[in-house]
């Protein structure tokens, strides 16, 4: 399967069945993310146990790219240390803005590399990045993240 087809399939699959959907009742950190350009509006909540991401959830109104990115993000960071999760935030941001070539450089993104193609679609980059900005805001203790 080529990368374009894999991308389409992952987007469809995660929209049909978003992982970790919902707000955690016992969240220790949460943030709201806004992408006014597209209308994406999500809530990310997480439960930190010491330095470990024990649980993470998201919900909101978002386009297919944003929702799939958020769903895959929650799967990727669950169980990770705070430092590893922040590293992924940085790498995802660098990949989608073209600063990280995941085919050439070492990274920890795994299947999230299906989003590498959005770097050629400037209007969709913000949709893909929003969940990661919001996760970062939650870690940092801020209430909101905006792509603008
Ligand atoms: Zn969007």
């Amino acid at each position: 399967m080529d990368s374009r087809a894999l991308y389409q399939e992952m987007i469809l699959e995660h929209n049909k069945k978003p992982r970790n959907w919902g707000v955690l009742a016992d969240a220790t950190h949460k943030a709201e993310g806004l992408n006014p350009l597209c209308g994406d509006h999500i809530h990310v909540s997480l439960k930190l146990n010491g330095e470990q991401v024990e649980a993470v959830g998201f919900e909101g109104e978002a386009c297919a790219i944003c929702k799939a990115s958020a769903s895959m993000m929650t799967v990727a960071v669950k169980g990770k240390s705070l430092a590893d999760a922040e590293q992924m935030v940085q790498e995802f941001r660098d990949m989608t803005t073209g600063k990280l070539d995941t085919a050439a450089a070492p990274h920890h993104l795994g299947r999230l590399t299906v989003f590498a193609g959005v770097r050629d679609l400037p209007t969709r980059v913000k949709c893909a990045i929003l969940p990661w900005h919001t996760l970062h805001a939650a870690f940092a203790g801020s209430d909101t993240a905006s792509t603008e």
Side-chain angles (χ1 to χ4, degrees):
M1 191 183 287
D2 68 22
S3 63
R4 183 80 204 155
L6 182 63
Y7 171 74
Q8 297 289 2
E9 181 172 305
M10 300 290 269
I11 300 274
L12 285 174
E13 218 279 309
H14 281 266
N15 272 274
K16 212 191 302 171
K17 250 177 60 186
R19 314 301 198 274
N20 303 300
W21 181 261
V23 173
L24 300 177
D26 54 352
T28 57
H29 295 66
K30 50 182 149 184
E32 180 178 16
L34 293 162
N35 173 17
L37 203 69
C38 172
D40 304 314
H41 183 189
I42 59 167
H43 293 267
V44 171
S45 55
L46 52 121
K47 186 179 175 195
L48 284 185
N49 183 357
E51 287 290 295
Q52 198 191 23
V53 181
E54 194 172 278
V56 51
F58 84 100
E59 67 172 35
E61 292 289 324
C63 70
I65 292 175
C66 183
K67 199 186 257 185
S69 177
S71 175
M72 289 176 73
M73 175 186 80
T74 61
V75 172
V77 303
K78 196 168 173 180
K80 294 275 192 313
S81 71
L82 184 54
D84 285 352
E86 285 281 40
Q87 171 83 28
M88 292 181 80
V89 170
Q90 187 62 48
E91 289 180 358
F92 190 89
R93 194 181 289 168
D94 287 350
M95 173 181 74
T96 49
T97 53
K99 276 180 257 168
L100 170 68
D101 178 0
T102 50
H107 62 83
H108 309 82
L109 293 172
R111 292 210 113 183
L112 289 160
T113 55
V114 295
F115 286 98
V118 300
R119 74 176 71 132
D120 301 321
L121 308 164
T123 56
R124 308 328 298 263
V125 170
K126 289 176 177 177
C127 300
I129 285 183
L130 182 68
W132 299 83
H133 273 321
T134 311
L135 179 71
H136 178 72
F139 283 148
S142 26
D143 295 334
T144 52
S146 175
T147 55
E148 297 306 304

